[in-house]
Amino acid sequence: MILLAIETSCDETAIAVLKTQEAKTGVKFTILSNQIASQIKIHAPFGGVVPNLAKREHQKNLPILLKRALNEAGLNSKRSTLNAIAVTCGPGLEPALWVGVNFAQELAKKWKFPLVAVNHLEGHIYSPWVKNSQFTIPNSIFPLLTLIVSGGHTELVLSKKHLDYKVLGETLDDAAGEAFDKVGRMLDLPFPGGPEIARLAQKWKPKTTTLILPLRKGLFPRPMINSKDLNFSFSGLKTAVLYYMRDNPRANKTAVAYEFQQAVIDVLVKKTLKAAEQYHPKTVALGGGVAANKQLRSQLGHEINKKMSNFKFLIPELTFTGDNAAMIAVAAYFKARKKQFTKPSAIKAQGNLSL
Ligand code: KG4
Ligand code: ZN
C-alpha cells in the first residue's frame, strides 16, 4: 500500500509518502518522502504559536510540499499507485487543522482515493519505530505503554493491539511541553522554551560558579508524584518557578532551568514506572516533542532498565520526536488496513479530539 499523509495540527506543515509491505512478523515501512516546513521562526517573536499565522503558513506551504513529496516519491506521473490519503484531524489548533483537512478532502475528491482521518496522538504513539528510510513495526509489541509528552498533551496510554487506546492517566492542567514553554518565557528564553531550557540545564555544573543563589536538589515541587492515580499536574510547578524568580530576581537561570527540568522528569519517570508495574507491558515507549529532551530519555531508560528487564524500551529518533507526517502515515496504515476510511464530505477538524 502507498499512503500520502498530511499534518498541520500546530506549527509544522508536513507531508509524507510511505510504502508498506506486510510480513509474517510485522509491517515493513519505506519512507518515499518526508517533507517538513517548520514555522518556528515566524511564531518566535510572539512567544507562542499564533493560530491564524499558522493557518496562513500551512495554506502557503502545502501545495509546495505536495509537489516536492510527489516528485521525491516518484509519483508525479503515476499518482494512481497511491492507495489512500491520510490527514491529522485533531487534536491541535483548529484553524491550522482545517487547512490540512480541507486540502486532504480536495485531493481525495479530485484523485478519487479513500481518506483516512488520524488522531495526532496516534501518530506520536507510532513515532518510536519511525526511521529515515526503512523500519518495521513488529506484531509483537503489545501490550504497549506509551508516555506521550508534547506541547498540548501529557498522557500515559495502554494499547493491547493496533488502534486500541486506553488513557491510564493525563495532565489535569498544563502539558509538560507547555510548562517548559511557559517557564522559558519566565526566564526570558526564546520560544519554544523546551529545547532552550534543556540546553541551559545541560550547562549547570553546581560547583563551578560563585554567583549562584542557594539552590538545593529538589528545590521545586514534584506535583502529584506520590498520588495513587497516574495523572499529572504541572501548573503548580510552573507557579513555583514564577514565585522563585519574583523573590530571587538575580537567580542563576541555568540552575533554575536545571531544577525545573529535573522536577518535571522526576514526575514523568515515577508515573511511567508505576504504570509499567501495574500493567506489565511488553514495550514501554516515549513520544512527542518533549521526548527530544536528552535528560528525560536517559533517566527514563536508566530507571526502566534498573527496575525491569522483561520489556523493551523505545524512544523516537530525534527527527521524529516533533510533529511530522511519517508518523501520521504509519497510524493511517493500520486504519486503512481495517478499512477505517472517512467520507470526504464527513471529515472535520476537531481541536479537542481525544484518543
Ligand atoms: O509534539 P510537538 O512537536 O507538538 C505538539 O504536538 O505539541 O511538541 C512540542 C513541544 C513544545 O512544548 C517544545 O517546547 C517541547 O515539545 N520540546 C522540548 C524539547 N524539544 C521540544 N521540551 C523539553 N526538552 C526538549 N529538548
Ligand atoms: Zn505533536
Side-chain angles (χ1 to χ4, degrees), residues 9 120 124 150-151 288-289 321-323 327:
S9 68
H120 182 76
H124 279 305
S150 70
T321 54
D323 295 343
M327 68 183 192

Side-chain angles (χ1 to χ4, degrees), residues 132-150:
N132 237 327
S133 50
Q134 283 196 336
F135 56 95
T136 297
I137 301 195
N139 297 328
S140 57
I141 60 175
F142 302 108
L144 162 70
L145 171 71
T146 311
L147 171 66
I148 305 173
V149 267
S150 70

Side-chain angles (χ1 to χ4, degrees), residues 7 9-12 91-92 120-121 124 148-153 175-181 191-199 261 287-296 318 321-324 327:
E7 155 67 41
S9 68
C10 193
D11 59 344
E12 327 278 353
H120 182 76
L121 301 177
H124 279 305
I148 305 173
V149 267
S150 70
H153 294 83
E178 189 181 354
F180 266 97
D181 294 339
F191 175 82
E196 295 291 329
I197 288 180
R199 192 178 49 78
Q261 174 177 283
V290 184
N293 188 287
K294 293 208 175 91
Q295 186 59 28
L296 171 63
L318 286 179
T321 54
D323 295 343
N324 63 86
M327 68 183 192

Side-chain angles (χ1 to χ4, degrees), residues 77-88:
S77 54
K78 24 179 197 166
R79 232 169 27 216
S80 57
T81 51
L82 257 180
N83 298 95
I85 310 257
V87 64
T88 304

Side-chain angles (χ1 to χ4, degrees), residues 121-338:
L121 301 177
E122 294 182 283
H124 279 305
I125 288 176
Y126 285 109
S127 68
W129 284 272
V130 182
K131 303 265 176 304
N132 237 327
S133 50
Q134 283 196 336
F135 56 95
T136 297
I137 301 195
N139 297 328
S140 57
I141 60 175
F142 302 108
L144 162 70
L145 171 71
T146 311
L147 171 66
I148 305 173
V149 267
S150 70
H153 294 83
T154 302
E155 294 190 5
L156 276 164
V157 182
L158 186 72
S159 308
K160 292 199 172 145
K161 54 183 184 187
H162 289 299
L163 310 179
D164 161 71
Y165 310 107
K166 182 178 177 196
V167 178
L168 304 177
E170 61 194 331
T171 183
L172 304 179
D173 40 58
D174 291 356
E178 189 181 354
F180 266 97
D181 294 339
K182 287 178 176 167
V183 168
R185 233 168 283 155
M186 289 173 204
L187 301 180
D188 294 321
L189 298 171
F191 175 82
E196 295 291 329
I197 288 180
R199 192 178 49 78
L200 267 193
Q202 224 173 0
K203 286 192 196 160
W204 170 239
K205 290 195 185 66
K207 283 180 187 132
T208 57
T209 167
T210 52
L211 288 172
I212 299 155
L213 289 166
L215 279 169
R216 57 183 167 75
K217 196 175 182 292
L219 174 79
F220 295 129
R222 270 78 173 147
M224 296 184 71
I225 195 161
N226 292 317
S227 71
K228 286 213 173 84
D229 56 20
L230 295 167
N231 290 328
F232 303 89
S233 162
F234 293 107
S235 138
L237 168 60
K238 174 194 72 188
T239 312
V241 179
L242 182 74
Y243 289 161
Y244 185 83
M245 291 309 290
R246 183 195 63 190
D247 298 339
N248 303 279
R250 291 183 58 247
N252 183 309
K253 287 183 187 171
T254 313
V256 174
Y258 172 86
E259 287 283 338
F260 162 75
Q261 174 177 283
Q262 204 47 57
V264 175
I265 294 175
D266 285 352
V267 181
L268 293 175
V269 170
K270 179 94 186 268
K271 289 276 160 121
T272 307
L273 282 177
K274 191 180 167 104
E277 277 160 10
Q278 235 168 297
Y279 290 92
H280 309 290
K282 210 165 178 181
T283 314
V284 179
L286 182 63
V290 184
N293 188 287
K294 293 208 175 91
Q295 186 59 28
L296 171 63
R297 294 163 81 92
S298 72
Q299 202 170 314
L300 188 57
H302 178 78
E303 292 297 324
I304 279 179
N305 288 328
K306 200 170 76 184
K307 289 243 164 68
M308 299 164 176
S309 53
N310 50 347
F311 55 69
K312 240 185 140 74
F313 175 59
L314 278 182
I315 41 177
E317 283 187 354
L318 286 179
T319 347
F320 296 105
T321 54
D323 295 343
N324 63 86
M327 68 183 192
I328 301 300
V330 173
Y333 171 70
F334 292 107
K335 292 193 135 179
R337 192 169 75 167
K338 293 199 100 184

